[in-house]
Amino acid sequence: MPLVRSYVRSDGTPVRGYSRWAPGARREMTIVAAVGLAVLGYGNAHTTDGSDSTQPTPSVTYPIRMDPTDGRPRAVVPSPTVSYPIRFDTPSDKRAKPTPSVSYPIDLSALAGGR
């Protein structure tokens, strides 16, 4: 926003300082505000299926209890899904070998230069 400082006109009339919109900024702000209102209106839209609730109904009753509290035996006993043992590879302790960073031999005596 350009800020116009106070000044005196050529006829001697004093003018107070004020700020004004930049050229084209009012139109751009109107477009941004319209898009923002449209997004808000679309995001808060109600369902049209006639239900009063916009929240989904849960299909589970909470809290979930795994074992009965009245002392009765469990109706369903868990069992494995396969009848054969599943073996997993155990990782062996392999140390990484250091690899040279260059593929050619370095002659250190040549680097000394005869000093």
Side-chain angles (χ1 to χ4, degrees):
M1 250 194 282
L3 177 65
V4 180
R5 295 185 180 156
S6 58
Y7 64 96
V8 178
R9 291 186 181 163
S10 60
D11 63 351
T13 307
V15 178
R16 291 188 321 177
Y18 61 93
S19 61
R20 63 178 178 181
W21 288 77
R26 190 176 308 270
R27 178 179 177 272
E28 290 176 5
M29 184 55 79
T30 303
I31 292 171
V32 168
V35 168
L37 287 173
V39 167
L40 278 174
Y42 182 72
N44 292 332
H46 295 291
T47 58
T48 57
D49 63 353
S51 65
D52 293 333
S53 174
T54 58
Q55 298 292 329
T57 56
S59 60
V60 179
T61 305
Y62 292 101
I64 298 174
R65 304 220 185 259
M66 292 299 174
D67 41 16
T69 56
D70 58 357
R72 289 183 298 153
R74 294 174 63 172
V76 178
V77 178
S79 61
T81 57
V82 295
S83 61
Y84 53 89
I86 299 174
R87 295 192 178 137
F88 296 98
D89 295 333
T90 55
S92 62
D93 188 24
K94 292 183 180 178
R95 307 248 180 213
K97 285 193 308 188
T99 57
S101 58
V102 294
S103 61
Y104 53 89
I106 298 174
D107 186 15
L108 297 177
S109 64
L111 294 176
R115 290 188 203 173

